[in-house]
Amino acid sequence: SATTLYNYQGFWHHARQLQGVLSCQKHFQAQDTDILLVTTPKSGTTWLKAILFSLLNRTRFQPTQDDHPLLSNNPHTLEPFLEPSLYLKDENPDLSSFASPRLFSTHLPYISLPKSVQDSKCKLVYLCRNPKDIFISFWAYTNKFRLQDVGTNSLEEVFKKFCEGVSLYGPFWDHMLGYWHESLKNPENVYFLTYEEMKEQPDLHLRKLADFLGCPFSPKEVKENMVDAILKICSFDNMSNLKVNKEGKLPSGINNSAFFRKGEVGDWKNYLTTEMVERLDKICEEKLDGSGLKF
Ligand code: A3P
């Protein structure tokens, strides 16, 4: 059924999505200049995608110009996802119109990345988030689609599964650890960042991202407030209030507004019971023990 999850290479997928993953593994040919944004669902993909797009295209499109593509497009429609919709036909989609460097985003676990990605010099940016906030964001998101595909979705039910590792692209801890270890082994190609860090010191982390991606801000750009301008156009307030994000839909039919809820750190405090917090904290402690990754 549409709600059944299947385990592949240790991670959970819907049938349709899994088909895309397999086809993507078979067909995708990475280029050394490619940039991949990787996240678990609800970690802030939409936000960082907008930021990376604005950063990489800042000479083509000034972030202050009033016909900047982000003002009339949802970030998810500007560049494709690596899976699943692109690959559902089990063939190689035509990506020839893409400007270089190509920017992709994906939720694939490290182990499931196409071999050509692992073998190439392309750069991966992994955006992580506190699992308690991921969970609340995910629960709220799935509830918007209650009628279509997820049955009843009480907080308790979804929480129980999340803690057992059964969520889209879960277990979340294995997803995070896969990229965490890779970023320690291979810091030149894998950059590990958190939603919380990005919220706390956005300008610092945007400058670091630019350095990592080989397109550092010049002194002239810094003087002209390029960093601030990018952060401003990508801010929650700006993006969530755009007509395209209030009224538009993705090709898949999902409302663009579904990707904008609160955009804050710590909203879990308004939903989780003390027992739930203790359970999730304990899981994180056990699963991440010794890795150096902490929440
Ligand atoms: P909340 O549900 O906690 O508000 P994803 O894009 O990976 O699906 O993640 C969605 C989460 O990112 C949602 O979190 C959403 O509100 C938040 N978000 C979307 N755009 C954002 C932005 N520009 N700045 C900060 N957070 C943003």
Side-chain angles (χ1 to χ4, degrees):
S1 86
T3 59
T4 309
L5 292 177
Y6 297 88
N7 197 291
Y8 174 64
Q9 299 185 313
F11 293 85
W12 293 101
H13 306 271
H14 283 312
R16 214 176 124 81
Q17 169 191 315
L18 184 53
Q19 190 190 327
V21 172
L22 294 171
S23 166
C24 174
Q25 289 184 334
K26 190 160 108 193
H27 295 297
F28 183 72
Q29 286 305 321
Q31 298 174 0
D32 284 340
T33 51
D34 285 348
I35 294 162
L36 263 71
L37 166 61
V38 192
T39 59
T40 53
K42 310 331 281 177
S43 298
T45 321
T46 314
W47 184 25
L48 211 66
K49 210 171 181 195
I51 287 181
L52 292 180
F53 177 85
S54 310
L55 176 67
L56 295 169
N57 291 290
R58 68 192 194 263
T59 42
R60 253 202 307 164
F61 310 114
Q62 284 286 323
T64 44
Q65 75 190 50
D66 39 4
D67 60 346
H68 191 283
L70 267 180
L71 298 175
S72 50
N73 296 275
N74 178 276
H76 296 307
T77 59
L78 283 170
E79 308 277 356
F81 277 86
L82 249 187
E83 46 38 82
S85 50
L86 200 62
Y87 282 92
L88 282 179
K89 288 200 209 105
D90 193 21
E91 57 189 38
N92 218 354
D94 181 13
L95 305 177
S96 57
S97 63
F98 271 61
S100 179
R102 306 186 303 179
L103 170 63
F104 296 99
S105 102
T106 183
H107 297 311
L108 282 177
Y110 189 79
I111 193 176
S112 302
L113 286 177
K115 191 155 184 313
S116 76
V117 172
Q118 297 178 356
D119 291 345
S120 78
K121 295 198 193 81
C122 70
K123 301 216 176 206
L124 308 183
V125 175
Y126 186 78
L127 181 68
C128 193
R129 190 180 187 187
N130 187 313
K132 287 182 278 215
D133 278 333
I134 290 183
F135 168 71
I136 290 302
S137 185
F138 176 68
W139 172 69
Y141 180 82
T142 56
N143 267 322
K144 292 189 177 144
F145 306 107
R146 183 186 281 246
L147 294 174
Q148 286 124 344
D149 65 348
V150 272
T152 59
N153 254 331
S154 71
L155 186 78
E156 291 72 22
E157 266 176 280
V158 184
F159 185 77
K160 186 170 167 279
K161 291 208 172 130
F162 189 73
C163 289
E164 290 163 356
V166 185
S167 61
L168 284 185
Y169 298 93
F172 67 85
W173 54 85
D174 283 336
H175 200 283
M176 294 167 179
L177 281 175
Y179 287 94
W180 172 253
H181 289 312
E182 213 44 47
S183 73
L184 297 178
K185 250 197 293 185
N186 189 3
E188 250 146 66
N189 294 86
V190 185
Y191 188 86
F192 195 97
L193 176 71
T194 67
Y195 184 90
E196 292 78 17
E197 286 170 328
M198 198 64 203
K199 273 283 205 189
E200 177 98 17
Q201 289 182 290
D203 46 346
L204 172 70
H205 292 289
L206 180 51
R207 279 186 277 116
K208 282 190 172 185
L209 270 174
D211 293 344
F212 170 74
L213 296 174
C215 56
F217 290 99
S218 69
K220 181 166 175 282
E221 284 179 320
V222 171
K223 212 168 134 219
E224 289 169 357
N225 292 324
M226 177 64 94
V227 179
D228 283 349
I230 291 176
L231 292 170
K232 201 165 157 205
I233 192 175
C234 299
S235 72
F236 183 86
D237 277 352
N238 182 58
M239 295 216 302
S240 62
N241 284 310
L242 294 170
K243 188 162 188 272
V244 61
N245 291 325
K246 283 184 156 169
E247 296 168 15
K249 282 182 196 289
L250 295 185
S252 60
I254 294 177
N255 291 332
N256 292 342
S257 60
F259 297 95
F260 303 92
R261 195 183 61 95
K262 276 202 173 170
E264 284 170 11
V265 171
D267 191 39
W268 57 267
K269 291 184 189 118
N270 298 317
Y271 294 91
L272 298 182
T273 64
T274 316
E275 293 79 57
M276 286 171 154
V277 172
E278 276 169 11
R279 179 155 180 214
L280 205 42
D281 282 349
K282 190 152 169 272
I283 288 170
C284 287
E285 242 167 67
E286 285 173 12
K287 301 291 183 185
L288 306 179
D289 183 42
S291 70
L293 178 61
K294 269 201 198 100
F295 293 100

